[in-house]
Amino acid sequence: MQSTTACTSGGSIKSDASTSLELQTLSVSSLPTMHDAPDDLYGPLLRGSGSAVLFGWWPRSRSWARAELVERTTRCLPAVRPRVDFVALPRLPEVEALWGCWSEAHGLVSEQAIWFHPRLEGPSASADPALEVCREVLAQMAGSFNVVFYPMYWLSAIAQEATNFNMPIVGDPEDHRLMPLNAAKAWLHPHIGARDSPCLRTVLSALGGRIRGPRGFVAFNVDELREALAQLRRECPAGTKFVLKPAAGSGGCGVVLDATEAHVDAFVFGSSGGSAILEEMVIGLDTPQSPTLYMIGDTPCGPLADQVLADDCSTNLGNRFPSMLQDEDLFSACVKASQEINKTWGMTSNWGLDFVLDKGGDAVIVDINMGRPNGNFAVRLWASLSEKPLTVFTGSWTVPVHGPSIESIFESLRAANILWNGDEGVIVYQHVPGCPSSYAIASARGADGVSQLQARLSKTMLDVNGVVLP
């Protein structure tokens, strides 16, 4: 048999070019870049259901936009273990180029990419692209053993296809008994018309301590929003500001800070209904602290992280873990609150909570994230396999539509000696020209190592690639 060697910055991984798809699934212990680390997050994720994952992180069914398709499908790349896991990717030039750079730098082999037709607008478009892609991808995996399917969205039709192909599935179903997972943040508050309805407030009331939810209500129409505003003004201290947001929003979409009567009156619920949240705007410390906790079921994904905020205290510039707070009591309280919440929800896969520390130093839960893997979860999985504890910063930059190629970006990082080398460096796992694209900086030398790499990265991206980091 003819063998090939895939070169990586941390060594080489030997693979057999003619080996069948099934034989590419190897045990984690056989990989030279992996170790049997106590913080390995794949165990809690898989729960003994298999040793390899097929990541199918494509969007929901609708007329797919190219940028969304590229962004969704590639955000899982850090989680794909060399010669172990598989990833479903759209056959698009920018994704093929990214895969070529990523797989070479991180020791993945070609058989790990399962390519599908993108089904964008045009002759190849369809009414249900997510379902058709699911069938196409799972058909290519038919007969594989010891592999589980991890979709970004566990919808009933997707689950049925996995059953048809006898492929075990991990994650949490979108159709939860409480409410759809994409609207889970509405559970933070009671409905204004039924104030005794079960919600975060009632679940956490028995715990006491440093964790609470913000005062707020869920409303289903403008009249209820007006009632919620009036009620909150009676409940909250004078001068309290309020936040208005759609219950099914994500990534800050549709959020109104310091909401007024005019914002309430103008809120659009949409033709298909939906709900809105009106809640107190938590004013924190002079230096804002916004920790976040990722979970797999009842298991924390390592320590607290920090949401790195701009001077306006609302724009998220990135995510850093472990948190700079170094507060074990706070971490324990956040984990305890999460586990108490999960007694109601019963989540088994990735979910998380976002907090803001108020002026008294207590943690207020300002968001609950369920229904799909969190944005940095793949990087958490990747970091959990490091032989040394890593400090990691994740962020994004926007490359102009006609800006540098992913190949030139990788080459510039390599020339500047800041590409990931197994101990520290930069990983670039998205390239969506004209749109935010994700990267991560990791260092075994702690926060100082990350800061030094950040400065070198900013200079390289500006001087060589003409890209300004936020």
Side-chain angles (χ1 to χ4, degrees), residues 384-407:
S384 77
L385 294 169
S386 172
E387 293 183 357
K388 301 177 182 178
L390 296 178
T391 299
V392 181
F393 172 84
T394 59
S396 64
W397 57 52
T398 299
V399 175
V401 174
H402 301 295
S405 66
I406 188 62
E407 293 92 344

Side-chain angles (χ1 to χ4, degrees), residues 8 140 144 211 226 229 234 266 312 373:
T8 72
Q140 294 183 65
S144 300
I211 312 296
R226 293 180 182 130
L229 181 59
R234 289 192 292 269
D312 62 7

